[in-house]
């Protein structure tokens, strides 16, 4: 028997429970992992609160731990290997959050040995999302300005680090002036506090009137119009989320006038492609090993307080990744 995070109805963090469940043997192409740490994602909250599912449902995409059992036709792993998980599967098919997890072998990687369990659980979702958007899609280069709304999120911080690694200029957007100093310390070249600063004016000042070549936005809503106003002619706007509860307004004539590329992006388009996934994992692992990239962890919760971890996620107060540790 193993403790697994489950929910029997959609709702807020309080619907999550820890239940004792008998863990099956891994099937063909699967690996069973004794988890040591779990990464909490916005997608977990969306699944828990909004998406219809068969109940009871498990949850979770990211974790680190040790290989406990190996299914038929799986090669390249041995019992006891330290591994972490790439989000490239449906969490309802392979729920990861709990003391034991069974995952497709294609989602399991040996993470850089320099990382703690908590850092490994905070690695792949955020960096793969930022890498796929900024490096693959936008072809971010030295000297480019990239605007990063929700910059204190784990993906936002990953984007700042990746932009810095290629010599680009990351400009962080945040709703809270209390996060300004921290975002500068984490590598942002400048911070624009929405609601206090005039976003378009400030971004035009920072780019000498040229505008930002890349905008990496998980928010949408009315602010998208201002972001398009601050984009450079020929620039790329990448939308990878819809955190705003308000309708998204697209100023079509301005987008056409600037010849903008507006790209809807999801990380699964990268992680479910074998060749692209390998290239991305190799790039990130190398940068981590060289200490160019470093997962930023906001808060660590014990497994028995999984509800608290989700409440922290939904507070919007975090800077970096929320991680849950699993007792041995």
């Amino acid at each position: 028997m193993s403790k697994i995070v489950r929910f029997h109805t959609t709702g807020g963090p309080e619907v999550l429970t820890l239940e004792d469940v008998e863990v099956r043997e891994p099937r063909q192409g699967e690996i069973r992992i004794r988890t040591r740490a779990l990464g909490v994602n916005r997608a977990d909250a969306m699944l828990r609160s909004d998406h219809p599912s068969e109940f009871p449902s498990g949850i979770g995409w990211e974790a680190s731990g040790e290989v406990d059992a190996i299914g038929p036709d799986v090669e390249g792993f041995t019992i006891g290997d330290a591994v972490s998980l790439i989000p490239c599967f449906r969490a309802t098919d392979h729920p990861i959050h709990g003391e034991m997890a069974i995952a497709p072998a294609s989602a399991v990687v040996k993470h850089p040995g320099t990382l703690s369990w908590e850092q490994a659980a905070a690695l792949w979702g955020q960096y793969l999302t930022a890498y796929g958007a900024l490096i693959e899609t936008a072809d971010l280069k030295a000297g480019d300005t990239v605007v990063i709304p929700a910059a204190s999120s784990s993906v936002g911080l990953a984007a700042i680090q990746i932009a810095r690694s290629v010599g680009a200029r990351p400009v962080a957007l945040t709703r809270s002036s209390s996060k300004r100093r921290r975002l500068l310390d984490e590598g942002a070249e400048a911070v624009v506090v929405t609601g206090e600063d005039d976003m378009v004016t400030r971004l035009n000042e920072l780019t000498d009137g040229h505008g930002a070549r890349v905008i990496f936005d998980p928010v949408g809503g009315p602010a998208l119009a201002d972001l398009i106003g601050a984009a450079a002619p020929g620039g790329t706007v990448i939308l990878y989320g819809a955190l705003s509860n308000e309708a998204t307004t697209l100023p079509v004539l301005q987008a056409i006038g600037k010849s903008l590329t507006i790209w809807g992006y999801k990380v699964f388009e990268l992680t479910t492609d074998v060749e692209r996934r390998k290239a991305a994992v190799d790039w990130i692992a190398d940068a981590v090993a060289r200490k160019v990239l470093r997962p930023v962890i906001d808060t660590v919760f014990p497994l028995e307080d999984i509800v608290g971890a989700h409440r922290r996620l939904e507070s919007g107060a975090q800077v970096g990744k929320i991680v849950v540790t699993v007792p041995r």
Side-chain angles (χ1 to χ4, degrees), residues 155-195:
V155 175
L157 294 171
I160 289 172
Q161 293 179 15
I162 285 176
R164 282 292 188 194
S165 77
V166 299
R169 304 173 63 230
V171 176
L173 303 190
T174 181
R175 293 179 298 174
S176 173
S177 59
S178 65
K179 294 181 178 179
R180 185 193 297 270
R181 182 69 260 165
R182 178 67 185 277
L183 288 168
L184 291 170
D185 291 343
E186 293 294 343
E189 180 156 320
V191 177
V192 177
V193 180
T194 59

Side-chain angles (χ1 to χ4, degrees), residues 19 23 50 65 81 94 98 145 151 191 196 213 253 295-296 298 306 317:
E19 300 178 12
V23 180
D50 296 327
D81 280 347
H94 289 90
T145 297
V191 177
E196 294 183 13
R213 192 181 78 76
L253 292 180
V296 177
D298 173 79
I306 187 68

Side-chain angles (χ1 to χ4, degrees), residues 145 147 169 171 202-213 230:
T145 297
V147 176
R169 304 173 63 230
V171 176
R202 184 71 180 118
L203 291 176
N204 280 320
E205 289 173 352
L206 291 167
T207 59
D208 295 326
H210 298 295
R213 192 181 78 76

Side-chain angles (χ1 to χ4, degrees), residues 73-99:
D73 299 327
V74 174
E75 298 179 350
F77 296 94
T78 59
I79 304 300
D81 280 347
V83 296
S84 48
L85 294 172
I86 289 172
C88 62
F89 51 89
R90 285 165 48 95
T92 48
D93 294 335
H94 289 90
I96 297 304
H97 285 181
E99 294 176 334

